[in-house]
Amino acid sequence: AAATARGEAFVATADNPAAIYYNPAGITQLTNNNLRSGIYGIYLAPTFQPPAAQPNSGNTYTIGKQFAAVPQLFATRTLTTLPLSFGLGIYAPYGGSIDWPQDTGFRTVATKGSLTYMRLNPVIAYELLPSLSLAAGAMVDYAHIDLEQGLRPTGAPLINYFRFSGEDFSAGYNVGLRWQPLEKIALGATLRSGTKMMFDGHTDFEKQPIIPAARRAAQMDLKFPWTAVAGISYRPTPKWNLEFDADYTDWSSFGKTSIQQQT
């Protein structure tokens, strides 16, 4: 929550257990054992109004589920005998759920979609100097995806749908650096690798009266982006902290994807 309130500008500060995500090198600033957990509340209310030339043009459509809660937990331990700190983060870097009515006009494009994505992120940080720390961690990810669309513009009176459901595990890494050359100035940088999910699952489809209900084994690949962040923190007094960050997320890696279905 502290990092979110700062507009995510936290890579050079990184002074609580959430540094496991924002910059794992920052956990060397912590002493003894630390635990931080929370729930990130999200409210989504997109609406859609069909163009005047389309049916139901006077209607306004909204999604079915507008609230979501995203859990997170971070724990750290700093040794007293060695310049080492250990951390473990459990959080959801991606995710979402959306469910549109059946008569929006874009039913053949999409009606439902959901992604559950959880990450286990152990890290280790080493304090080379009192002012310089390095860190590295492993990211073990699990994701489950559900997608649905119609095969005709309307869902009645003849049943028609196409669904895909799949899940996968993946692995990646994150690294971080924090350097405080002066008492009032600190610099930080972190890199989180991309992760590739090869969703193994199945498709379900039916298009009365032409295609009877059927299920096929299927697979879909998605590549989630890598992220790099660098920043500088300035503390003119102990109660003030001004930070500027620059971050890049390679969303171009997301691109297009295809569902490969067995015949």
Side-chain angles (χ1 to χ4, degrees):
T4 300
R6 295 160 58 92
E8 306 294 297
F10 199 61
V11 68
T13 301
D15 58 359
N16 68 51
I20 292 168
Y21 173 81
Y22 292 98
N23 182 0
I27 67 174
T28 59
Q29 301 175 86
L30 308 177
T31 58
N32 301 319
N33 301 319
N34 294 269
L35 177 67
R36 178 164 294 200
S37 64
I39 295 177
Y40 191 88
I42 300 174
Y43 172 69
L44 298 173
T47 61
F48 172 72
Q49 292 179 318
Q54 291 188 2
N56 302 327
S57 60
N59 296 341
T60 298
Y61 297 94
T62 60
I63 61 174
K65 184 180 178 181
Q66 297 178 328
F67 293 92
V70 184
Q72 55 195 258
L73 184 145
F74 301 99
T76 66
R77 176 175 175 81
T78 298
L79 303 182
T80 57
T81 56
L82 294 172
L84 292 173
S85 298
F86 300 89
L88 177 65
I90 303 173
Y91 54 91
Y94 311 106
S97 178
I98 199 164
D99 182 358
W100 287 100
Q102 294 288 318
D103 58 345
T104 58
F106 57 81
R107 183 177 181 273
T108 56
V109 177
T111 54
K112 297 180 182 180
S114 68
L115 173 68
T116 300
Y117 196 119
M118 295 300 298
R119 173 171 290 165
L120 184 70
N121 187 191
V123 302
I124 181 171
Y126 177 55
E127 190 178 53
L128 280 76
L129 301 169
S131 62
L132 179 63
S133 298
L134 301 174
M139 302 188 308
V140 181
D141 297 0
Y142 166 80
H144 180 96
I145 194 168
D146 289 297
L147 304 172
E148 182 177 327
Q149 68 185 96
L151 297 178
R152 292 193 181 99
T154 60
L158 299 177
I159 296 174
N160 64 97
Y161 59 84
F162 180 88
R163 303 181 185 125
F164 172 77
S165 179
E167 62 182 1
D168 193 23
F169 288 89
S170 184
Y173 64 88
N174 64 326
V175 295
L177 175 149
R178 187 179 184 274
W179 180 40
Q180 191 166 352
L182 300 172
E183 181 182 358
K184 296 181 179 181
I185 295 178
L187 298 94
T190 191
L191 171 70
R192 289 186 293 272
S193 71
T195 53
K196 186 175 182 180
M197 289 289 179
M198 187 177 294
F199 291 105
D200 284 317
H202 60 269
T203 56
D204 292 289
F205 52 93
E206 183 177 3
K207 189 176 182 181
Q208 295 180 344
I210 304 171
I211 303 173
R215 171 172 289 192
R216 298 284 188 273
Q219 185 180 86
M220 184 180 74
D221 296 346
L222 279 180
K223 187 176 181 182
F224 292 85
W226 61 269
T227 302
V229 187
I232 181 170
S233 168
Y234 173 57
R235 295 177 184 262
T237 73
K239 293 185 178 181
W240 280 86
N241 182 3
L242 308 175
E243 180 165 337
F244 173 81
D245 283 10
D247 63 85
Y248 175 79
T249 302
D250 185 34
W251 283 112
S252 63
S253 65
F254 209 66
K256 296 181 179 179
T257 186
S258 299
I259 296 174
Q260 305 296 326
Q261 178 182 269
Q262 293 185 7
T263 58

